Amino acid sequence: MFGYDIGISGGVTSMDDFLEEFFPVVYERKHKAKEDNYCKYDNQGLQLFTSSLYLAALVSSFVASKVCTKHGRRLTMQAASVFFLIGVVLNAAARNIAMLIIGRILLGVGVGFANQAVPLFLSEIAPVHIRGALNILFQLDVTIGIFVANIVNYFVSNIHPWGWRLALGLAGVPATMLCLGSMVIAETPTSLIEREQLMEGLAMLKKIRGTDNVNAEYEEILHACEMARQVKRPFRNLMKRSSRPQLVIAIAMQVFQQFTGINAIMFYAPVLFQTIGFKNDASLLSAVITGIVAIGGVLLVNLKSTNELEHGVAVWVVVLVCLFVSSFAWSWGPLGWLIPSETFPLATRTAGYAFAVSSNMLFTFVIAQAFLSMMCHLRAGIFFFFAAWIVVMGLFVIFLLPETKNVPIDEMSERVWKRHWFWKRFMDEEEQDKKDSV
Ligand SMILES: OC[C@H]1O[C@](O)(CO)[C@@H](O)[C@@H]1O
């Protein structure tokens, strides 16, 4: 659902029927002002169509974290699917910009709720030895959603005048899947135990592990819940000096992930490809290609079949975009989520992760809202802007990001932070902080 929403907006905002109905100014500019390629799509309303979703997700994730703790992962996912379904109906039936934007906001609330509950659900339900792999699958699924949306955009773009309605309406498919899925899944043992339903939690743990021999894990969960309960103010704890290294890393990972420029490509690939001179179909096909690459599949795509790639240079741009997207898919994409999830001590883990998620949403919003204007002002320089950030984040990784591989989560403090040349200076006060917080 998250991936589909990310992928669908770029294609839809490049469709003539859609532009003519809601953004006639952009439509006119697109067809008349050919000389000003870089600025054709520079329109705040059009950017708001894409970006409002992330702003809503940012705000709602704080509410969602409360719902998730109080009412469980399952109910949070059910709520997400209801928001999604209403949002989809509003979008597909939109008669004016307000319906479009309100629809996107509801989808955003759905994303806020789902992104809070789903990763938690996965890591709590997963057997320990595949927990990391499941965490990475979250990013893979996001990318599959983007890919499917791009294929949908490609096919519906030739259905006039309501192809865009179909594109937005088909988001109902993953929304319905989430709705039905969230009815049949079990609640996680951790959530049951956290809400003091101890017997149900134990029974559920036995059921999902397929054995009665779960005492050790049950005790661990009990202990973790007990510890977490003692920390009355996790957000305040997070502001202490000794939490600084993890907090800075968690936020930086998400900010940097977005400053790679990935969503300039993900949201606006079709617009971008049209800017460099592709016709409509070819632009959408190019977006599909980047989707395939992101997924990491090695597919040989026959570009010739479109007969529309007029410029050899433009083909090279597509190749380079593919290289960029695949590099992202094995680095900043999944690790932006993984590293923040494994560096915080239990006492600040969920609060810290909430910062990571909301930083992602905030900067996704910033890029979504600003990219087309930046392209208009910076022109090709926009790519040098992102390249400069990639140099900065490369240096950050070399000097400031410690290796966390093979380190058990609860030994991070001793084995990682206290031994790091720079971050160790923040850890001196940890002992004192511990005493303060009890
Ligand atoms: O695969 C690309 C997608 O992955 C994310 O960075 C989330 O991790 C999205 O913001 C982006 O659209």
Side-chain angles (χ1 to χ4, degrees), residues 127-137 338:
V128 137
H129 62 285
I130 56 165
R131 191 170 292 163
L134 277 178
N135 194 312
I136 301 262
L137 282 183
L338 181 65

Side-chain angles (χ1 to χ4, degrees), residues 12-31 41 46 95 97 100 160-162 164-165:
V12 166
T13 50
S14 73
M15 289 178 198
D16 279 348
D17 296 322
F18 177 83
L19 289 175
E20 207 176 353
E21 188 152 351
F22 299 106
F23 301 98
V25 180
V26 182
Y27 177 79
E28 302 262 298
R29 216 189 291 150
K30 178 180 169 190
H31 290 280
Y41 294 93
L46 190 65
R95 299 248 158 262
I97 295 188
L100 272 184
H160 300 290
W162 49 273
W164 63 269
R165 288 192 191 276

Side-chain angles (χ1 to χ4, degrees), residues 278-296:
F278 284 19
K279 293 198 180 123
N280 281 358
D281 269 18
S283 302
L284 292 173
L285 186 63
S286 310
V288 173
I289 296 166
T290 60
I292 293 169
V293 170
I295 302 178

Side-chain angles (χ1 to χ4, degrees), residues 91-144:
N91 266 351
R95 299 248 158 262
N96 47 47
I97 295 188
M99 280 176 86
L100 272 184
I101 303 289
I102 294 172
R104 287 289 284 181
I105 289 175
L106 285 171
L107 292 177
V109 176
V111 168
F113 272 62
N115 277 16
Q116 180 73 30
V118 173
L120 263 186
F121 175 86
L122 287 176
S123 62
E124 288 174 353
I125 222 101
V128 137
H129 62 285
I130 56 165
R131 191 170 292 163
L134 277 178
N135 194 312
I136 301 262
L137 282 183
F138 174 70
Q139 178 70 13
L140 178 67
D141 289 342
V142 173
T143 325
I144 291 173

Side-chain angles (χ1 to χ4, degrees), residues 2 6 139 142-143 146 254 257-258 262-263 266-267 294 328 332-334 337 360 364:
F2 179 35
I6 291 172
Q139 178 70 13
V142 173
T143 325
I146 297 174
Q254 295 286 12
Q257 187 205 62
Q258 289 307 311
I262 186 67
N263 280 321
M266 288 298 155
F267 296 153
F328 175 87
W332 289 97
W337 299 103
N360 183 278
T364 304

